[in-house]
Amino acid sequence: MEIVYLDGAFLPADQAKVSVFDRGFLFGDSVYEVIPFYQGVGFRLEEHLARLAHSLDALQIPHSDNLDEALNKLVAQNGGGNVSVYVQITRGNAGKRSHAVTADITPTVFACCQPIAPIYETGPEVIEGARVIVTDDLRWQRCDIKANGLLANILAMRQAHEAGAAEALLQKEGWINEGSSSNVFIVEQGHVITPPLHKGILSGTTRALVLELAQQHGVQVTESNISYERLIGADEVWITSSTRGVLPVTAVDEHLIAGGQKGPLWLQMFKLFTRYQQGLMTGESL
């Protein structure tokens, strides 16, 4: 039986109960994180928890103490290995349904595990290029907050799946912001480009790592707005996320990218990324 974490307790999943008056259930008044653990080691755990703190601060929800210790213990109680840990913190149970927020609510803190594939064990030759679509960005204006109100993201992903695509890239006012559950990169003449962070884009932890690795290894990187024309004309396109890693995109809508082939700079970045993962587990410096 899977063990979950709920408000300081570790218990079987079928015994975990949350009130129907919890504001996370009634209003989506909550934030979340998805954190990969590889061989029981949190991947960019500190960065994920910092982003969680940013989301909590933005909604004025109190922080949970010693959450990193609780998550490490949760992973261990579920057998360690390769899992993603889902963390959700709601404003809490107000005892009734009311839009007004009172100061005496205790946040609800929940976490659970789900097995994931180990990206670091995957050879680049078996990674298939993804097809994506571009659709309108219908989300609210504070996408820098990792909030649970994901209906627009879900509808975009459903549209992608109905089109036989792996992801939907979201476009607003002529600019590509990000994917429904990923960040986006393009390559132009050996130069890596990603949209600059603003309140309409989530600060992806994998996005930040890709930028770090590129700079450390002499790859030129720039944060710049990306139009649809620039996207489909790029030499390479990638999407990144914590559970996908760095994934090559070989088609956008009906347009092939680089003739439908994975690019050489993606290959370099994929190797750097998986080497970083392996170093994290072994404690080796990179």
Side-chain angles (χ1 to χ4, degrees), residues 85-267:
V85 176
Y86 174 80
V87 184
Q88 181 172 342
I89 301 180
T90 82
R91 198 175 300 277
N93 172 20
K96 61 180 180 178
R97 186 184 184 278
S98 172
H99 283 70
V101 176
T102 59
D104 58 348
I105 304 175
T106 300
T108 299
V109 183
F110 169 74
C112 63
C113 297
Q114 181 174 312
I116 56 173
I119 300 172
Y120 59 88
E121 291 183 354
T122 305
E125 68 281 353
V126 301
I127 299 292
E128 295 185 2
R131 177 172 177 259
V132 304
I133 64 168
V134 174
T135 189
D136 290 337
D137 191 344
L138 303 178
R139 302 170 302 167
W140 74 320
Q141 297 181 42
R142 288 301 308 273
C143 296
D144 60 308
I145 301 171
K146 201 169 176 67
N148 283 92
L150 295 175
L151 183 57
N153 304 62
I154 290 169
L155 292 175
M157 182 61 82
R158 179 176 179 180
Q159 184 181 348
H161 286 175
E162 289 175 346
E167 175 62 298
L169 302 186
L170 306 176
Q171 179 176 241
K172 178 176 284 189
E173 298 178 352
W175 304 117
I176 305 297
N177 281 330
E178 59 186 346
S180 69
S181 61
S182 63
N183 290 106
V184 61
F185 290 78
I186 65 172
V187 175
E188 294 177 338
Q189 298 180 340
H191 198 141
V192 176
I193 301 160
T194 193
L197 294 179
H198 53 78
K199 290 184 178 180
I201 291 180
L202 183 68
S203 177
T205 56
T206 303
R207 172 190 182 277
L209 176 57
V210 167
L211 293 177
E212 289 175 23
L213 292 173
Q215 292 168 339
Q216 290 170 8
H217 293 84
V219 178
Q220 285 187 306
V221 294
T222 298
E223 293 179 283
S224 176
N225 289 329
I226 299 173
S227 65
Y228 185 84
E229 292 73 20
R230 196 176 187 186
L231 176 72
I232 63 175
D235 298 324
E236 300 183 32
V237 177
W238 315 333
I239 53 175
T240 63
S241 71
S242 293
T243 54
R244 285 169 162 166
V246 186
L247 189 65
V249 172
T250 51
V252 176
D253 293 329
E254 71 278 11
H255 306 282
L256 291 180
I257 304 299
Q261 301 301 311
K262 297 177 286 189
L265 202 49
W266 168 79
L267 178 60

